[in-house]
Amino acid sequence: MFPRGIPVDSTLHIQNGNFKACGEITAASLAQGGPALRCFDATVYYLLVNPSISLQELNCETNLTASDRILLDSILEDVMKNTNTIIDHGYTGIIDDSHIGEIRQSIVVSIVTKRSRSTRKKIEESMMDFLQDFLFGREDKPCVSGYAQALATSDDDSAGAEREQEQLVLSPECTAAGIMGWLTGQKHKPLDEEPLTVTVRFNHDCAMHNPNHRICYPTVRACAKEISFPVPHTKTAEEFNDVFMVAISKGQTFEKA
């Protein structure tokens, strides 16, 4: 199932439990103080523990196995002869010897993303579980109101009157209905009984877009009913709850309390 240190892309081993059995054997070995199975190539193992690798920084030596490099070299020896294989790897540019660099990098990206896809999917499924737990938690503790913040006002009710102005404070509604209003613009089910669908996107590459940033938050397009989560900053339930709460609190509409 792991020829040359690479897991086979096989639904057979999933449905018959072979992959699960390998995991159980490895877990039992570790629990008893023994070594884990040496079934992964070093590059494959590195990808499993670091799934958020930048696709623009991939290279043949550190991200491909020996067998991958042999395959890549055989393709690049005659790109015209291997046109179909190159296209199968997702390359859509010009195929000739003057574009070998682009072809090589595209194939490297194709090989690595095929391996990381299952890992990313697992992370994304975990984040959806975090969101569900967050919503359930708001139903259990409706008193939680997020972070209140002061509002500016330009009201002038009396000329020259000196009085202590009352500070207006905005507190976001952190109930399930309030959160849905933040996501979709409405706190209730559609009146026309159409199914309410929210598109969820996952940003795995925020560090690549802004290398010097330390934190970023979910972004919402209420009209499009779409939310995007910054994956590197929401890997645990605690991180997700903190980042999501700040996003809700600071992303509310400007209005008087």
Side-chain angles (χ1 to χ4, degrees):
M1 292 186 292
F2 305 97
R4 300 177 300 280
I6 305 170
V8 174
D9 186 8
S10 171
T11 56
L12 171 65
H13 293 315
I14 296 176
Q15 62 88 19
N16 63 16
N18 286 344
F19 281 141
K20 181 180 179 181
C22 286
E24 292 173 344
I25 293 172
T26 301
S29 178
L30 292 174
Q32 296 173 7
L37 297 179
R38 298 187 61 181
C39 53
F40 292 129
D41 184 90
T43 58
V44 177
Y45 176 78
Y46 179 80
L47 183 62
L48 290 175
V49 298
N50 297 281
S52 298
I53 187 171
S54 173
L55 298 181
Q56 280 68 35
E57 298 177 359
L58 298 177
N59 63 75
C60 301
E61 297 301 324
T62 58
N63 299 113
L64 297 186
T65 66
S67 59
D68 291 333
R69 291 193 291 270
I70 293 174
L71 172 63
L72 181 60
D73 291 340
S74 66
I75 294 174
L76 298 180
E77 283 181 359
D78 190 343
V79 293
M80 300 307 298
K81 181 179 179 180
N82 294 287
T83 297
N84 291 336
T85 303
I86 294 172
I87 293 175
D88 289 341
H89 279 282
Y91 180 75
T92 58
I94 299 173
I95 300 178
D96 57 27
D97 291 338
S98 63
H99 292 80
I100 283 183
E102 296 176 357
I103 296 172
R104 176 189 291 107
Q105 196 63 19
S106 295
I107 295 176
V108 172
V109 170
S110 173
I111 293 173
V112 173
T113 53
K114 286 180 180 178
R115 289 182 189 147
S116 63
R117 193 172 301 151
S118 59
T119 303
R120 286 195 172 193
K121 183 178 180 181
K122 186 175 181 180
I123 293 174
E124 292 169 359
E125 289 175 348
S126 297
M127 292 184 62
M128 294 305 298
D129 291 337
F130 296 159
L131 176 60
Q132 179 175 279
D133 293 341
F134 185 92
L135 294 175
F136 286 158
R138 300 290 72 76
E139 292 182 348
D140 296 337
K141 299 179 181 179
C143 59
V144 176
S145 61
Y147 302 95
Q149 59 181 336
L151 292 178
T153 178
S154 60
D155 292 344
D156 186 9
D157 54 354
S158 61
E162 294 183 0
R163 66 180 182 83
E164 184 178 355
Q165 293 186 351
E166 179 182 2
Q167 186 181 40
L168 299 179
V169 177
L170 173 65
S171 295
E173 183 181 351
C174 290
T175 62
I179 293 171
M180 291 307 297
W182 176 60
L183 291 175
T184 67
Q186 57 186 18
K187 302 178 182 179
H188 52 77
K189 293 182 179 179
L191 299 179
D192 54 8
E193 298 184 356
E194 290 187 3
L196 180 61
T197 302
V198 178
T199 301
V200 180
R201 302 188 184 279
F202 300 92
N203 183 4
H204 294 267
D205 303 315
C206 64
M208 180 187 67
H209 301 150
N210 187 359
N212 297 322
H213 85 294
R214 295 183 178 180
I215 185 66
C216 56
Y217 298 94
T219 56
V220 169
R221 298 170 59 200
C223 293
K225 298 179 177 61
E226 178 181 304
I227 183 170
S228 176
F229 290 110
V231 175
H233 304 286
T234 52
K235 291 183 178 180
T236 67
E238 183 178 0
E239 290 178 348
F240 181 92
N241 291 343
D242 290 343
V243 169
F244 196 70
M245 180 64 78
V246 173
I248 297 171
S249 302
K250 303 301 182 181
Q252 296 292 307
T253 57
F254 290 97
E255 58 187 0
K256 290 186 177 181

